[in-house]
Amino acid sequence: MRDTPYTRVDVAVLEQNLAAMADRARARGVALRPHAKTHKSPDIAARQLAHGADGLTVATVAEAEVFAAHGFADLFIAYPLWLQGPRAARLAALLARGVRLRIGVDSLDGLRMLAAATRDANRSRLTVAVEVDSGHHRSGVDPERAGALARAATELELEVAGVFTFPGHSYSPDGMHAAAADEQRALRSARDAVLAAGLACPVVSGGSTPTTGDYAAAGGALDGGADDVLTELRPGVYALGDAQQWELGAVRPESIALSVVATVVSRREDDDGGLRLIVDAGSKALASDRPEWASGFGRCIEHPDARIVALSEHHATIAFAPGDAAPALGERMRIVPNHVCTAVNLVDDLIAADADGTEEVWPVAARGANT
């Protein structure tokens, strides 16, 4: 028996999720390049490629270094890198090792720094993708400016792969359909701007987990129809699931592969007859993310009506309504974090549990790879 808390992956559910997304991408006729910042695990990444993923998306040069060291040689750093200091040499070293890199850009200054950092590197392995803002209002240029930035890249002797976006405003109960449509419009406009600049645009990349699910649910043009502009999907959370996606309706609870196993260490009855349980997994195991629309600080797989009403570092307070069955002291519970990406980054290892009860330890090799 393992000490709690620990972070558990149900391998059978994981495999179902990987197969379902790969099938969805094939049905749409698009490439799948999952975002590895969610799991930070070479073991999970290898399974994603085995299901047909074309490569991986990562967020940082450090993540690229970790996955390259584990043999993954086709990586998209979907981030507008600022290549000063050691980071520039580290990027060039990845190219020297033969890693195929696509780099996100959203400014002329960023392009110039990338060109300088890779001047003496193997640019045959390097492409750039222009990031566009599709409504999240984070990084990315206005779609109509994508052509000018792509043209500037070619003038700096950088090869342009295409355009990409992250529709992060899909992470709200009322936002998925609108964000999916925004993504299509922005990417179509950006692609057309690149084509109008006289350049090819083979890669049109998007697809957060909510909008990827929304396309499938919506059907018609958004699900691989004539108006579907994407050529590549980059979902991340789909592999493991989390409580945000559960409450958004983007994943079903039975499709959630990751949970934190915790033990009930305290239990008391409220004045109204309800129960409050304390388990030994707090913010240092579950992370503290809580969108304003979320029902609590995570969800309990076996007790979907319970609510996690408070977190401290090593305590989670779980409220049960009067009459609801609740675990006894010493019993274990599986808790789904609100945001799987931040929860995974808190642990050194994932405990991968097979249907026959056997377990493996999967290192979170890219934990803390933030530079």
Side-chain angles (χ1 to χ4, degrees), residues 249-340:
V251 302
R252 299 181 305 276
E254 60 268 27
S255 296
I256 295 175
L258 181 137
S259 59
V260 174
V261 181
T263 300
V264 178
V265 296
S266 182
R267 175 182 161 120
R268 73 177 189 191
E269 186 172 337
D270 288 337
D271 292 339
D272 65 357
L275 288 171
R276 290 194 174 237
L277 273 56
I278 304 298
V279 299
D280 60 356
S283 63
K284 288 183 174 178
L286 298 168
S288 56
D289 290 24
R290 183 183 179 181
E292 61 182 19
W293 46 263
S295 67
F297 290 94
R299 295 292 293 273
C300 305
I301 287 284
E302 294 94 347
H303 304 278
D305 294 329
R307 291 295 178 265
I308 303 174
V309 296
L311 282 187
S312 50
E313 291 181 55
H314 298 285
H315 305 69
T317 302
I318 307 175
F320 286 77
D324 286 354
L329 278 169
E331 288 192 37
R332 294 187 170 199
M333 302 178 65
R334 288 190 295 144
I335 300 174
V336 180
N338 271 339
H339 188 181
V340 65

Side-chain angles (χ1 to χ4, degrees), residues 26-336:
R26 280 190 287 270
R28 289 179 68 177
V30 299
L32 178 62
R33 185 178 289 269
H35 211 313
K37 74 177 178 66
T38 294
H39 54 71
K40 294 177 172 284
S41 162
D43 292 279
I44 295 177
R47 289 170 180 264
Q48 289 173 317
L49 264 63
H51 280 281
D54 286 18
L56 299 176
T57 303
V58 296
T60 67
V61 173
E63 284 187 352
E65 290 169 329
V66 170
F67 282 100
H70 284 82
F72 299 92
D74 191 342
L75 304 171
F76 176 18
I77 306 177
Y79 196 91
L81 296 176
W82 196 249
L83 291 168
Q84 282 184 331
R87 184 182 284 114
R90 290 163 54 205
L91 184 77
L94 284 168
L95 293 168
R97 290 173 55 183
V99 178
R100 184 182 301 279
L101 291 178
R102 186 197 305 164
I103 308 296
V105 296
D106 77 345
S107 70
L108 182 56
D109 286 341
L111 275 172
R112 287 170 174 160
M113 295 181 82
L114 177 60
T118 59
R119 183 172 292 116
D120 299 322
N122 180 10
R123 284 196 181 167
S124 68
R125 310 290 290 178
L126 174 68
T127 60
V128 300
V130 176
E131 182 177 11
V132 298
D133 179 6
S134 57
H136 188 38
H137 306 317
R138 193 173 64 180
S139 51
V141 300
D142 291 337
E144 60 272 14
R145 292 181 52 207
L149 196 59
R151 172 55 63 188
T154 64
E155 291 170 356
L156 290 166
E157 299 182 340
L158 295 169
E159 181 182 347
V160 177
V163 296
F164 77 104
T165 193
F166 173 64
H169 55 311
S170 61
Y171 282 73
S172 68
D174 301 321
M176 286 188 291
H177 288 273
D182 289 346
E183 180 182 52
Q184 291 278 329
R185 283 192 295 268
L187 287 174
R188 184 177 297 106
S189 177
R191 178 203 61 187
D192 292 348
V194 172
L195 296 176
L199 303 172
C201 190
V203 173
V204 182
S205 179
S208 65
T209 294
T211 56
T212 302
D214 190 55
Y215 290 137
L222 289 181
D223 192 16
D227 294 333
D228 189 356
V229 69
L230 277 88
T231 67
E232 178 180 86
L233 299 176
R234 303 188 326 277
V237 176
Y238 81 96
L240 298 172
D242 61 21
Q244 290 183 128
Q245 303 300 326
W246 179 353
E247 296 200 341
L248 286 171
V251 302
R252 299 181 305 276
E254 60 268 27
S255 296
I256 295 175
L258 181 137
S259 59
V260 174
V261 181
T263 300
V264 178
V265 296
S266 182
R267 175 182 161 120
R268 73 177 189 191
E269 186 172 337
D270 288 337
D271 292 339
D272 65 357
L275 288 171
R276 290 194 174 237
L277 273 56
I278 304 298
V279 299
D280 60 356
S283 63
K284 288 183 174 178
L286 298 168
S288 56
D289 290 24
R290 183 183 179 181
E292 61 182 19
W293 46 263
S295 67
F297 290 94
R299 295 292 293 273
C300 305
I301 287 284
E302 294 94 347
H303 304 278
D305 294 329
R307 291 295 178 265
I308 303 174
V309 296
L311 282 187
S312 50
E313 291 181 55
H314 298 285
H315 305 69
T317 302
I318 307 175
F320 286 77
D324 286 354
L329 278 169
E331 288 192 37
R332 294 187 170 199
M333 302 178 65
R334 288 190 295 144
I335 300 174
V336 180

